[in-house]
Amino acid sequence: MELRQLEAFAAVMSTGSVTGAARLLARSQPAVSRLVQELEAEIGYALFTRHGPRVTPTEQGFLLYEDVDRALGSLQQIHLRAAEIARGNAQPLLLAATSALALGLLPRALRQMEAQAGTMPIQLRSASAEQVVHAVLSGAAQLGASSLPLEHRGLEVHWIGQMPCVAVLPQNDPLAALEVVPLEALAQRRIITMSNPFRLRHRLDATLARAGHSPARRDALIETNSSVNAQALARAGLGVAVLEPLTACGAPLEGLAVRPLDTDIPFVFGVVTPQAKPITAPVRALIDALLAAASELPHFVQHDVSAHAALLRTLYGGGDAAADEESIS
C-alpha cells in the first residue's frame, strides 16, 4: 500500500465521488480512479460499487476506512509535530475523553491548570469509551477520561469518581415542578437514554426495570450515543432523559430542567494514562486539576483506584454486594 492510495480512498469516502475527491486532492479524476483501483488490487477486494461518476462504499470499504482514517490522522499529527519541533514549540497535550467528560469536566480542569501554568497547545478528541481506551493504549492520547470499566491491561488508573444520574426534561413538564423526580413517575414515560449496553445503560435498564419501566418496551425508549443528543431530544418534548450529570452541567440547554432522582443510579468514571510511559509534568498537573474540578461538583464521591474491581462487582453484579460496599468505603 502507498500513502497516495490511502489518501485517494479516504477522499472518495469523504466526498462520495471520484470527481469530488480529485478536487479535494488537486489531482486529475483518472489519477484518483487509478490509485483506488491499485489499492483494490493490492488488498484483493472492491472498496466501492460504481454508479457512473458516483460510488457507494462496500461493507469492506467501510470497515477499512475506520483504520485508514485513524492512520492518516496519526500521520497528520506527525507532520504537525515535526513542524512544531522545527519551530521549537512545546509538545501539545493529547487528550481523549467521552463526550460527557469532555463537556462537563475537562474545560474546567484545563482552565484551572492554565491559570497556574500558562497556556499550552492542546488537542482534545471526543470519542466513545472504547475509543478513548484505544487512544490511550495506542499512544494517540497521553491522558484519557472515560466511564468504567477501565481494567484493560496497559492502563494506569489515577482516580475514580462517582456522581448520581439526573432527569433532564422540558421546563414546562409537570415533573419539572418537583425538587426530586421519583423513579416510579417515569414508569409510563418515554425514556431517552444511552445506547451502549455495557456501561451506564446497563445500570439504567436494571434500575428502571425495578421501577416498572421494562426495557422490553422498545416503543418507550429513544436510544442515542450522545448525551448532548439526549438533551436536545428532551427539549423537543420527545421524552425524559435519564443521564449522567456532567453533560447538563457542562453544556446546559435553554428550556431544560435538570432534577435529581429519588433513586441513586451511579455514573462512575476515571482518568487513565498509558502504564508503560512516564507521566509528563503537564499531564500530572491535569490529572490533579481534573480531580479538583470534579470535587467542586455536587454529589461527587472519589473512590480509591484499588476499589475498581469491587466497584465493578457492585455495579454489574457477580459478587457479594455487602462485602463490596465495605471494600469500596
Side-chain angles (χ1 to χ4, degrees):
M1 294 183 194
E2 295 183 4
L3 177 59
R4 292 181 304 163
Q5 295 170 346
L6 299 179
E7 288 176 335
F9 164 58
V12 175
M13 287 288 293
S14 296
T15 61
S17 72
V18 176
T19 303
R23 286 196 297 265
L24 188 65
L25 297 173
R27 296 177 183 269
S28 69
Q29 183 176 329
V32 172
S33 294
R34 184 177 65 254
L35 287 168
V36 173
Q37 290 166 2
E38 290 173 354
L39 179 59
E40 291 175 322
E42 176 78 20
I43 61 180
Y45 52 80
L47 296 169
F48 301 98
T49 56
R50 275 73 174 177
H51 309 280
R54 297 195 174 276
V55 295
T56 302
T58 62
E59 182 178 352
Q60 293 94 332
F62 277 116
L63 293 173
L64 183 63
Y65 178 69
E66 295 180 13
D67 292 309
V68 170
D69 182 54
R70 188 159 48 240
L72 291 176
S74 297
L75 183 61
Q76 183 181 30
Q77 284 188 355
I78 293 173
H79 281 300
L80 292 173
R81 181 59 186 144
E84 288 166 352
I85 291 173
R87 294 191 298 268
N89 292 352
Q91 181 181 4
L93 197 56
L94 305 177
L95 312 175
T98 57
S99 61
L101 291 156
L103 286 168
L105 195 57
L106 269 162
R108 295 166 178 260
L110 289 168
R111 180 181 60 189
Q112 176 181 326
M113 186 184 73
E114 289 198 341
Q116 298 174 350
T119 60
M120 64 186 68
I122 296 169
Q123 294 180 12
L124 170 58
R125 179 188 176 195
S126 177
S128 69
E130 292 77 12
Q131 290 171 328
V132 169
V133 168
H134 181 270
V136 175
L137 290 175
S138 67
Q142 298 165 281
L143 177 146
S146 172
S147 58
L148 264 61
L150 292 169
E151 55 185 345
H152 306 70
R153 184 186 299 273
L155 289 182
E156 181 176 354
V157 183
H158 293 275
W159 57 264
I160 297 172
Q162 177 175 326
M163 298 177 69
C165 287
V166 295
V168 180
L169 60 167
Q171 289 179 344
N172 59 1
D173 190 293
L175 292 179
L178 303 176
E179 291 187 3
V180 178
V181 174
L183 202 65
E184 292 183 355
L186 303 181
Q188 302 304 317
R189 299 293 298 272
R190 193 182 199 188
I191 300 296
I192 304 167
T193 186
M194 297 297 98
S195 55
N196 188 333
F198 301 113
R199 292 184 181 266
L200 179 60
R201 173 63 183 277
H202 176 88
R203 300 188 290 283
L204 287 175
D205 281 350
T207 307
L208 290 170
R210 288 194 294 270
H213 198 296
S214 172
R217 293 178 55 211
R218 306 303 296 182
D219 61 328
L221 289 175
I222 297 182
E223 300 172 277
T224 178
N225 66 339
S226 166
S227 47
V228 173
N229 294 348
Q231 287 194 142
L233 292 165
R235 184 169 64 173
L238 293 169
V240 178
V242 180
L243 303 173
E244 42 69 30
L246 289 172
T247 299
C249 179
L253 293 185
E254 185 178 355
L256 285 178
V258 180
R259 298 289 181 265
L261 295 163
D262 69 346
T263 304
D264 181 29
I265 305 176
F267 171 65
V268 190
F269 55 97
V271 171
V272 295
T273 59
Q275 198 169 50
K277 293 188 176 182
I279 300 174
T280 64
V283 171
R284 171 58 64 188
L286 181 56
I287 292 170
D288 296 339
L290 282 164
L291 179 57
S295 300
E296 295 174 355
L297 298 175
H299 311 298
F300 172 79
V301 175
Q302 182 185 357
H303 295 293
D304 190 87
V305 295
S306 62
H308 189 285
L311 273 169
L312 292 183
R313 289 194 296 272
T314 301
L315 296 173
Y316 294 96
D320 184 340
D324 291 340
E325 288 290 352
E326 182 178 352
S327 63
I328 290 169
S329 61

